[in-house]
Amino acid sequence: MSVLPLFAIYGAGGSGRGIMPFARKQHLASALPLERLVFIDAHLAGTRINGHKVVDEASFLAEPASCHFVAIAIASSKVRAALDARLALRGACPWTVISANSEIFDEVVIGEGALISPFVTLASNVVIGRHFHANLYSYIEHDCIIGDFVTLAPGAKVNGNVVIEDHAYIGSGAVVKQGRPGHPLMIGAGAIIGMGAVVTKSVAAGVTVVGNPARPMPSTG
């Protein structure tokens, strides 16, 4: 008898427990048994959370499977990147999880390992990188390019013709103004857009902006 694939949500904290319900629906729609879906969390290994076994990473990878698929539900983009690199070296594959009640329009490209939560909208002609997180009620409008390991917090709003580079974070309720065709509004690599900020112009790499209109956070040094 062939060995079935094994699936996991990496992280049993708030992010992971938020992803698991729609990951479970996606898993069951593939006619796979529920016991082939677990959490990975070293601190909680040996327990059960919301009906799913929790194991450590080594135990998960040691379990016989045709392939080990992992959705990394960790808030920190740098931790996601480190885990992705380590898991790839150990033969695991990224698992993309997309809620059935998200809205995905025409010509949207989604990189591997993305987690698309309920009530998210991805409008037409959007390109999204690897291990992207779109939390509840966030959206990306038309003609946007999103890098790897980008996070949209709940209710984040990204309007059309915007480029968001790797590891940027768009906070809860933040609004990013629409750019223009050929002249996109840019959010630089590692930039942080604070909760509720209204971004009206490009943000440089590594800069944190807050307020309405959004401005760089004052230095405390």
Side-chain angles (χ1 to χ4, degrees):
M1 185 174 66
S2 60
V3 179
L4 294 173
L6 187 61
F7 292 79
I9 302 297
Y10 205 122
S15 294
R17 285 180 281 116
I19 296 298
M20 181 59 89
F22 64 92
R24 180 167 56 240
K25 290 180 181 179
Q26 181 173 310
H27 180 83
L28 292 173
S30 300
L32 291 165
L34 194 57
E35 61 267 22
R36 301 300 286 178
L37 174 59
V38 302
F39 284 108
I40 300 174
D41 194 313
H43 299 293
L44 297 168
T47 66
R48 295 186 74 87
I49 294 179
N50 297 345
H52 294 272
K53 183 166 64 173
V54 185
V55 300
D56 61 29
E57 182 182 306
S59 298
F60 173 77
L61 294 173
E63 181 74 16
S66 59
C67 190
H68 295 81
F69 290 96
V70 183
I72 305 175
I74 302 293
S76 167
S77 68
K78 291 184 179 179
V79 174
R80 289 206 299 275
L83 288 173
D84 174 57
R86 188 171 78 207
L87 289 164
L89 288 173
R90 297 178 181 180
C93 300
W95 183 27
T96 301
V97 182
I98 301 175
S99 173
N101 68 348
S102 59
E103 293 286 345
I104 299 176
F105 295 177
D106 294 336
E107 302 295 331
V108 175
V109 177
I110 300 174
E112 61 186 6
L115 305 181
I116 311 297
S117 293
F119 312 110
V120 167
T121 298
L122 304 177
S124 298
N125 304 97
V126 170
V127 177
I128 292 171
R130 303 176 67 251
H131 294 281
F132 167 71
H133 282 190
N135 285 282
L136 295 164
Y137 293 102
S138 59
Y139 74 69
I140 297 175
E141 259 292 357
H142 62 88
D143 300 297
C144 289
I145 299 175
I146 311 299
D148 297 338
F149 304 101
V150 169
T151 301
L152 268 58
K157 301 171 178 65
V158 178
N159 290 291
N161 293 293
V162 170
V163 173
I164 302 179
E165 296 183 331
D166 297 352
H167 292 278
Y169 177 88
I170 314 298
S172 295
V175 179
V176 180
K177 178 186 174 182
Q178 181 164 326
R180 293 181 291 123
H183 298 278
L185 189 148
M186 303 286 299
I187 306 295
I192 297 173
I193 310 303
M195 179 184 296
V198 177
V199 178
T200 60
K201 58 184 180 180
S202 294
V203 177
V207 172
T208 296
V209 298
V210 296
N212 178 9
R215 293 185 174 88
M217 183 177 289
S219 174
T220 58

